């Protein structure tokens, strides 16, 4: 159950787009469309932003989008805003019927 | 409105036990798979365990297998995590979360605010 691989940090200026990759294996990310993304502010509970690779829950801005190619899933945030500055985590269902998270990416809005 | 409220956290000595509870309200508890996820201070999220709608199927992270037990009481709308043989590395905020998916659980769409467990040596 190795964690999915995410960059520790990414940054972008307001209005720009950024992409956060999340790399797993054929036993998790590559094997299913069961990938989700979470946003977390310091001291707060995570919030679901994307599920089923690319679906947005009701109420989540359409500036957030997800995709997948092979063993790598990606979260893209377009039209970056100051309020997007937070930690982002990917997760995936696995072939062992467990769940695995990525190590998390800190997004800084410059 | 949907509410998940964790309780039972605190300071415990290494090797001892602790039981966390998560009380659910505002939704049909039996329609959701339930997870425990933890976060060590300053670290990332770590999935801990999941339990099926009726409690018959349970899966665990390797780091807690054999020491932690997840359970649920659907008559009380409550999820539990029994933690035995606690170690310093179990120190974390423990979140409960609901998930409408089974199988393929990965859609943790609502989370509690967390309960801090500190294991002292």
């Amino acid at each position: 159950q190795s964690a999915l691989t995410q960059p520790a940090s990414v940054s972008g200026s307001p209005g720009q787009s950024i992409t956060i990759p999340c790399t797993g294996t054929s036993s998790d990310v590559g094997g299913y469309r069961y990938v989700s993304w979470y946003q977390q502010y310091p001291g707060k509970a995570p919030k679901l932003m994307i599920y089923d690779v690319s679906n947005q829950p009701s109420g989540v801005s359409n500036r957030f989008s997800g995709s997948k190619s092979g063993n790598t899933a990606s979260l893209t945030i377009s039209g970056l805003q100051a309020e997007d500055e937070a930690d982002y985590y990917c997760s995936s269902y696995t072939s062992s019927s467990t769940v695995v998270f990525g190590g998390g990416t800190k997004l800084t809005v410059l | 409105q949907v509410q998940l409220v964790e309780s039972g956290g605190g300071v415990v000595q290494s090797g001892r036990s602790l039981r966390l509870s998560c009380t659910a309200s505002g939704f049909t508890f039996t329609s959701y798979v339930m997870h425990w996820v933890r976060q060590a201070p300053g670290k990332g999220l770590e999935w801990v365990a999941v339990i099926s709608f009726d409690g018959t199927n349970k899966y665990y992270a390797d780091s807690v297998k054999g020491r932690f037990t997840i359970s649920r009481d659907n008559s009380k709308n409550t999820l539990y995590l029994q933690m035995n043989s606690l170690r310093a590395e179990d120190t974390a905020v423990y979140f409960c979360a609901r998930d409408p998916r089974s199988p393929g659980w990965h859609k943790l769409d609502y989370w509690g605010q967390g309960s801090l467990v500190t294991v002292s040596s």
Side-chain angles (χ1 to χ4, degrees):
Chain A
Q1 291 181 349
S2 299
L4 305 177
T5 301
Q6 298 179 233
S9 63
V10 298
S11 63
S13 300
Q16 288 185 330
S17 294
I18 64 96
T19 295
I20 301 173
C22 167
T23 302
T25 69
S26 58
S27 296
D28 39 63
V29 174
Y32 307 92
R33 287 194 62 81
Y34 299 142
V35 175
S36 54
W37 289 89
Y38 302 86
Q39 176 190 63
Q40 187 183 34
Y41 293 112
K44 300 296 186 182
K47 175 186 177 182
L48 178 67
M49 305 301 284
I50 295 287
Y51 66 97
D52 288 350
V53 173
S54 59
N55 289 342
Q56 296 163 342
S58 173
V60 171
S61 170
N62 58 14
R63 297 186 298 105
F64 291 82
S65 62
S67 62
K68 189 185 83 160
S69 177
N71 294 338
T72 299
S74 298
L75 173 71
T76 297
I77 308 174
S78 59
L80 211 55
Q81 299 179 1
E83 67 203 47
D84 299 331
E85 185 162 296
D87 294 326
Y88 292 86
Y89 295 89
C90 61
S91 77
S92 175
Y93 179 76
T94 81
S95 59
S96 302
S97 298
T98 61
V99 173
V100 61
F101 280 93
T105 299
K106 181 177 178 60
L107 170 62
T108 300
V109 180
L110 302 171
Chain B
Q1 73 280 23
V2 174
Q3 277 200 312
L4 292 169
V5 180
E6 301 93 341
S7 60
V11 180
V12 60
Q13 283 189 320
S14 179
R16 304 296 290 265
S17 299
L18 201 64
R19 189 179 81 159
L20 300 181
S21 299
C22 169
T23 302
S25 60
F27 64 99
T28 304
F29 188 59
T30 52
S31 295
Y32 290 83
V33 164
M34 297 296 296
H35 299 262
W36 286 102
V37 177
R38 68 184 181 183
Q39 187 169 35
K43 302 297 185 181
L45 300 174
E46 180 187 14
W47 179 82
V48 173
V50 65
I51 188 167
S52 58
F53 305 121
D54 60 0
T56 55
N57 294 306
K58 307 171 186 181
Y59 298 92
Y60 299 91
D62 287 344
S63 57
V64 306
K65 197 175 298 183
R67 300 188 300 123
F68 289 13
T69 301
I70 188 172
S71 62
R72 64 192 295 165
D73 186 335
N74 286 343
S75 69
K76 296 181 178 179
N77 286 356
T78 303
L79 172 73
Y80 301 101
L81 185 67
Q82 177 67 43
M83 303 183 292
N84 298 332
S85 303
L86 282 162
R87 307 166 180 167
E89 55 264 37
D90 296 318
T91 293
V93 173
Y94 285 74
F95 297 99
C96 63
R98 73 174 198 179
D99 185 340
R101 288 300 180 84
S102 180
W105 33 77
H106 77 292
K107 186 183 175 186
L108 284 67
D109 66 355
Y110 206 91
W111 299 58
Q113 287 306 302
S115 181
L116 177 61
V117 173
T118 303
V119 183
S120 66
S121 52

